[in-house]
Amino acid sequence: QVQLVESGGGLVQPGGSLRLSCAASGSIFSIRAMGWYCQAPGQQRELVATITTGGSTKYADSVKGRFTISRDNAKNTVYLQMNSLKPEDTAVYYCNADINPFGLGYVSYWGQGTQVAVSS
């Protein structure tokens, strides 16, 4: 059984910062890309940022220069540092990872989501 557990969401004022964490646990042989997606009310889930095992990153245009994705491969954990937050960043943020449980091939797993609200 593989699980992704997110933490770090909350309510913050515009211009503030939050740091999201997502730890993968369970029967894990290897992990490829990890990433963060967000879904605002009435909107489709969309990419925020991804990072490969080697550290290559990709960001949505709307967060470039404000958000930073990183990972600790030894801890099977991915982070999202969110700075200069705007009200339009308000959404549920989901962690995603391509994980290979022992001998079963790669499967895309999702976390349960963590709410980020940016409001004064």
Side-chain angles (χ1 to χ4, degrees), residues 21 57 71 94:
S21 299
T57 59
R71 64 190 284 175
Y94 296 91

Side-chain angles (χ1 to χ4, degrees), residues 11-57:
L11 174 64
V12 64
Q13 292 186 339
S17 298
L18 285 174
R19 188 188 194 215
L20 307 183
S21 299
C22 172
S25 62
S27 299
I28 297 172
F29 179 72
S30 59
I31 303 177
R32 290 189 308 200
M34 304 183 80
W36 292 93
Y37 292 72
C38 69
Q39 187 167 19
Q43 303 293 319
Q44 290 187 332
R45 192 173 299 187
E46 58 185 26
L47 170 74
V48 176
T50 61
I51 185 168
T52 66
T53 304
S56 296
T57 59

